[in-house]
Amino acid sequence: MTLEPDTFAVQTADPEPDAALVRTLTGGLVSLRHFKATLRRRRALWIGTALAGLLAGAGYHVAVPIKYKATSTVYLAHPASSDSTVAAQNDLAMLDTGTVGRRAIALLGKRGDGLTPTSLLGKTPGTVVSGNVLQITITGPTPQAAVRRVTAVTSAFLSFRAQLYREQANALVTASQKEITQLE
């Protein structure tokens, strides 16, 4: 049997064996040299991705500044004749009014410049914890500003609530006095 030179096939080592061959030869493990070579080939991709992530993170921090929150917990007494859950919901509705926002901005003075009642109070300035407990949460650009704002909102809310209860009590007294006068 004679072999002709044309039938010889010389196999050369492929510098990059395919993944199936590597798995077959190593039993599923990839050598550290192969891993380093892959990372080195993709260096530009990894560096570009890292820089893009760094820029996106820094841009997000600049575009969306951190907002600090301050919370005030207020214990409120309600008349004995009222249902505490209904009264708490009424208090929550009173908190989310333009009057409370304007009074709070007035209490802040120059530090309230540029604020509107809506921007100060936000979407939900308070939550009812229980029938007598209301929690007020306000945001600010710094921790100190958030504390000042929640203090102003709490003071404005309590003064507004007291004013409304005084007006209701005065109206009730006036109506009762008229009725007594008519009966005499």
Side-chain angles (χ1 to χ4, degrees):
M1 171 187 250
T2 61
L3 294 175
E4 299 186 19
D6 292 347
T7 59
F8 281 116
V10 177
Q11 243 183 354
T12 58
D14 188 12
E16 289 297 318
D18 61 0
L21 180 62
V22 169
R23 264 188 247 112
T24 304
L25 294 175
T26 60
L29 299 175
V30 178
S31 70
L32 187 58
R33 186 178 330 144
H34 178 69
F35 185 69
K36 282 183 183 178
T38 303
L39 287 179
R40 205 173 294 124
R41 278 193 315 275
R42 307 275 191 235
R43 184 180 313 148
L45 175 69
W46 290 109
I47 291 172
T49 304
L51 287 175
L54 181 66
L55 290 175
Y60 180 80
H61 181 67
V62 169
V64 182
I66 296 172
K67 290 186 179 180
Y68 296 93
K69 290 183 181 181
T71 302
S72 173
T73 304
V74 184
Y75 181 79
L76 302 168
H78 298 110
S81 61
S82 67
D83 181 16
S84 65
T85 56
V86 173
Q89 291 301 322
N90 288 339
D91 288 333
L92 187 61
M94 270 189 265
L95 173 64
D96 197 14
T97 60
T99 303
V100 171
R102 284 188 295 278
R103 286 183 180 190
I105 291 170
L107 287 173
L108 287 170
K110 286 194 172 241
R111 292 185 172 148
D113 288 347
L115 286 174
T116 63
T118 306
S119 68
L120 176 63
L121 296 176
K123 291 183 181 179
T124 54
T127 55
V128 175
V129 177
S130 69
N132 293 335
V133 178
L134 181 67
Q135 195 170 44
I136 302 170
T137 303
I138 302 295
T139 61
T142 65
Q144 296 81 12
V147 169
R148 278 192 301 273
R149 289 177 181 186
V150 78
T151 302
V153 168
T154 302
S155 297
F157 165 69
L158 290 175
S159 70
F160 180 61
R161 183 176 184 268
Q163 177 188 351
L164 286 180
Y165 277 126
R166 269 194 307 276
E167 289 172 359
Q168 287 176 357
N170 290 342
L172 185 63
V173 167
T174 304
S176 297
Q177 286 175 345
K178 282 183 183 178
E179 192 173 320
I180 290 171
T181 305
Q182 287 177 354
L183 292 174
E184 289 178 346

